Amino acid sequence: MTRIFDDPATFAEDQLAGFLDLYADRLRGVPGGVVAHRGERPEVAVVIGGGSGHYPAFCGTVGPGMAAGAVVGNIFTSPSAAQVYSVAKAADQGRGVVLSFGNYAGDVLNFQIAADRLCAEGIDTRVVIVTDDVASAEEEGKRRGIAGDFTVFKVMGAAAAEGLDLDEVERLGRAANAATRSLGVAFSGCTLPGAGEPLFQVPEGHLGLGLGIHGEPGIEDVPMLKADELAALLVERILQEAPAGSGQRVGAILNGLGATKYEELFLLWGRVSARLRERGVEIVDPEVGELVTSLDMGGCSLTLMWLDEELEPRWRADAYTPAYRKARAPLSGLRAAGGEGGAAVAADIPQSSPAARELADGVRAALATVHRTMVDHEDELGRIDAVAGDGDHGRGMVRGARYAAERAEETSRDAGPGWLLRQAGQSWAEYAGGTSGVLWGAALEAFGRSLDDGAEEFGAAELATGVRAFADAIGDLGRAAPGDKTMLDALLPFADTLQRATEAGTEPAEAWRSAAEAATRAAEATKDLRPKIGRARPLADRSVGTPDAGATSLALIVTALGAASNEHKQAEGVATA
């Protein structure tokens, strides 16, 4: 939702005033928009534009190597013919004007009227309309313009900067448009300044396929997709629309629509680029970020422009605007980083006994159980942690358990449980991050160090000793004490109960069960405590009434491990019978 404004009715004018103040060294305002300060050599004036709400389009891409001016309409509203005329007249340098914009009825009408008026006054003016959105129509000429605006503007701006004449700038703009295809998806609607509700709603658990950039919803609601599935959808749909006779080299844009985080776009790009390369597509100077937005819309779009010997150098050419800058010179002569030190050499796996290798298989199964348990309870743990923390405990535990389990599966079957746990602990700490990642990683390593991979047998005593080493590592590294409202408040009762039961000769499964029950009770009791260390400490009062997330996850894990062990024993009994 757009929250910063004085009068919603003047939002477009007010934001433009701030923009012009910020970039007064390179742009000036004229009635209806902005124009760039001129260089020493006159150029064809590429004038772009449309409604506000799409930044960096359109005024953010005015400058050397791009547009000479931008017409700025109201939010999602075509600028008037008078505004287009005003900006184009100010941008003209005596070599003619090219007007370019997305294919929307209001824009087409107003820009054409302005073009006619300019031509009547002796200013040779051409019109290049962008029609890149493959979802909006079967017939190419009827398609609307979305993020493909950028590729067309970029090619024409580079051509103008080279000093090419009006005919050539227009021709290359039309060629760029004919070579460009886009498809977008929306996750959520956008909200106009002052409005209380989005212009449209995407059903829960769905995405809108084929969105517009003026608040139009998608042409179809489809169930939400994982990143790889979304990449496949975007890539396949666009490749199906490849221009006839096109080659395999493309300029690519993965465009965010306003509320989609850059980290999400980076992740998706990794999937998109892999899919493109699998299809034999060569990617040239890809762009990932916000280039044509729609206020606060959640969503993204993929644009491909098929390159040839004329389009590629213009796509790669330098540009310098408020929102988009490309410079080849700083990158020339660079060499690939790294390589001098070489990769770390993995240590040899210590020799292990048959009993150790058998127990190692049990450790692998246990780590897989830990991972499944954390996946099942991720949301619950995140909710608990968010009461007084940052809400990342569930996600961190899932990541740590996942990579620990995967590392264990990848480790040679010649390894014993001690070596295996040390490797798993290192992976947990490396990939989980956060305090819990460090603690769990160190504790698993400590458990592993307590085991002798050369031993001929392992029993309850070794298990209790390992758990104690695990607990000591948590206490030493975390510097927590009982009552501080941490994982230790559940871990110590678990370790103490297990040790007492083991020393009393209790059957191992029963000892573990009673220890897990003690951990569960202790974890629940942490709801009455006030945190004394960690991120939750500043919000200690808010935390009262909610159990500690770390203690809760520990209790869930030891309970699940006990249940999995019992199921395994029962299965063995059935098989023996």
Side-chain angles (χ1 to χ4, degrees):
M1 181 177 292
T2 306
R3 294 179 172 85
I4 300 178
F5 54 83
D6 290 317
D7 181 353
T10 61
F11 178 86
E13 294 87 345
D14 295 343
Q15 63 86 21
L16 182 59
F19 173 81
L20 288 169
D21 181 80
L22 182 62
Y23 295 109
D25 62 330
R26 65 201 75 172
L27 305 173
R28 73 181 178 92
V30 298
V34 303
V35 294
H37 295 332
R38 299 181 180 183
E40 295 180 358
R41 183 181 64 183
E43 299 176 1
V44 170
V46 177
V47 175
I48 62 179
S52 297
H54 304 302
Y55 191 87
F58 296 93
C59 54
T61 51
V62 174
M66 289 287 283
V71 194
V72 182
N74 205 346
I75 299 293
F76 298 163
T77 303
S78 167
S80 67
Q83 289 175 305
V84 178
Y85 170 84
S86 170
V87 175
K89 189 74 178 283
D92 176 43
Q93 300 171 37
R95 300 197 60 191
V97 175
V98 176
L99 302 178
S100 191
F101 47 89
N103 187 25
Y104 298 91
D107 293 298
V108 172
L109 181 63
N110 284 293
F111 276 84
Q112 188 60 59
I113 291 172
D116 292 343
R117 181 178 174 187
L118 290 164
C119 287
E121 294 182 8
I123 300 174
D124 195 350
T125 303
R126 315 290 175 83
V127 173
V128 174
I129 303 174
V130 182
T131 57
D132 60 303
D133 180 17
V134 301
S136 57
E138 291 290 334
E139 188 176 334
E140 293 180 15
K142 295 182 178 179
R143 291 173 174 172
R144 60 195 174 192
I146 51 175
D149 285 356
F150 186 87
T151 65
V152 178
F153 300 164
K154 177 69 178 65
V155 166
M156 289 197 296
E162 290 176 39
L164 300 185
D165 64 21
L166 182 62
D167 288 339
E168 282 296 284
V169 173
E170 178 191 14
R171 182 182 68 81
L172 287 168
R174 294 186 184 279
N177 180 61
T180 300
R181 304 287 188 271
S182 299
L183 178 65
V185 294
F187 310 133
S188 61
C190 55
T191 308
L192 296 175
E197 297 292 335
L199 288 174
F200 69 92
Q201 298 280 358
V202 177
E204 186 70 24
H206 288 69
L207 57 81
L209 176 64
L211 73 149
I213 57 169
H214 296 94
E216 308 101 324
I219 58 173
E220 177 187 359
D221 292 326
V222 300
M224 189 63 196
L225 304 172
K226 290 187 175 181
D228 191 55
E229 297 169 330
L230 177 56
L233 171 65
L234 294 173
V235 168
E236 295 306 317
R237 290 285 186 96
I238 293 179
L239 291 183
Q240 289 171 9
E241 297 284 345
S246 57
Q248 290 296 96
R249 293 174 68 80
V250 301
I253 299 172
L254 184 60
N255 175 62
L257 284 156
T260 302
K261 299 299 294 181
Y262 271 66
E263 289 88 342
E264 295 178 89
L265 295 175
F266 297 152
L267 187 158
L268 181 58
W269 173 252
R271 309 296 190 265
V272 166
S273 61
R275 292 271 180 177
L276 288 171
R277 292 184 181 110
E278 287 172 3
R279 295 290 299 272
V281 176
E282 298 179 57
I283 306 166
V284 179
D285 284 7
E287 300 288 347
V288 176
E290 294 181 347
L291 293 174
V292 182
T293 64
S294 185
L295 286 177
D296 59 342
M297 183 187 289
C300 61
S301 61
L302 177 64
T303 297
L304 299 180
M305 176 172 65
W306 276 262
L307 302 173
D308 59 20
E309 67 279 359
E310 290 190 314
L311 296 179
E312 182 167 339
R314 279 87 193 193
W315 170 245
R316 305 188 71 176
D318 289 359
Y320 190 89
T321 74
Y324 177 78
R325 298 167 191 179
K326 175 178 283 191
R328 306 298 302 177
L331 300 178
S332 62
L334 294 183
R335 293 177 295 166
E340 292 83 358
V345 178
D348 293 334
I349 298 174
Q351 189 171 3
S352 60
S353 67
R357 292 193 291 274
E358 181 180 353
L359 181 56
D361 285 337
V363 170
R364 292 185 179 90
L367 290 171
T369 296
V370 173
H371 179 223
R372 288 194 300 272
T373 303
M374 291 298 91
V375 169
D376 291 343
H377 295 276
E378 178 183 350
D379 291 344
E380 174 192 356
L381 294 170
R383 177 186 57 78
I384 292 172
D385 189 40
V387 171
D390 53 11
D392 68 346
H393 183 71
R395 178 59 53 86
M397 290 295 289
V398 168
R399 282 181 59 83
R402 171 192 169 186
Y403 285 102
E406 288 181 355
R407 180 72 171 271
E409 281 298 323
E410 293 166 359
T411 301
S412 169
R413 259 46 186 180
D414 292 332
W419 173 263
L420 197 66
L421 282 167
R422 293 198 295 276
Q423 304 310 302
Q426 291 170 13
S427 286
W428 190 307
E430 179 180 357
Y431 292 103
T435 303
S436 65
V438 175
L439 295 176
W440 269 87
L444 287 173
E445 287 196 69
F447 198 140
R449 286 193 297 270
S450 76
L451 299 174
D452 177 7
D453 285 346
E456 295 299 331
E457 62 179 8
F458 296 87
E462 286 76 17
L463 179 61
T465 299
V467 169
R468 179 59 61 186
F470 184 101
D472 288 345
I474 295 288
D476 293 344
L477 187 59
R479 299 181 181 179
D484 284 349
K485 195 165 188 175
T486 68
M487 179 193 353
L488 211 61
D489 289 309
L491 178 56
L492 289 179
F494 174 78
D496 292 343
T497 303
L498 183 65
Q499 185 169 355
R500 287 194 300 268
T502 299
E503 291 173 351
T506 305
E507 194 270 329
E510 177 59 26
W512 188 279
R513 186 192 61 78
S514 61
E517 290 177 351
T520 301
R521 289 193 298 270
E524 179 63 22
T526 60
K527 68 183 181 182
D528 299 323
L529 301 176
R530 300 176 78 254
K532 298 177 183 177
I533 62 172
R535 291 183 178 177
R537 182 174 57 83
L539 298 173
D541 291 339
R542 183 184 296 179
S543 173
V544 175
T546 302
D548 177 67
T552 302
S553 63
L554 185 281
L556 289 169
I557 286 170
V558 295
T559 300
L561 288 173
S565 177
N566 285 334
E567 290 174 3
H568 178 68
K569 287 183 180 297
Q570 291 173 4
E572 283 187 336
V574 171
T576 302

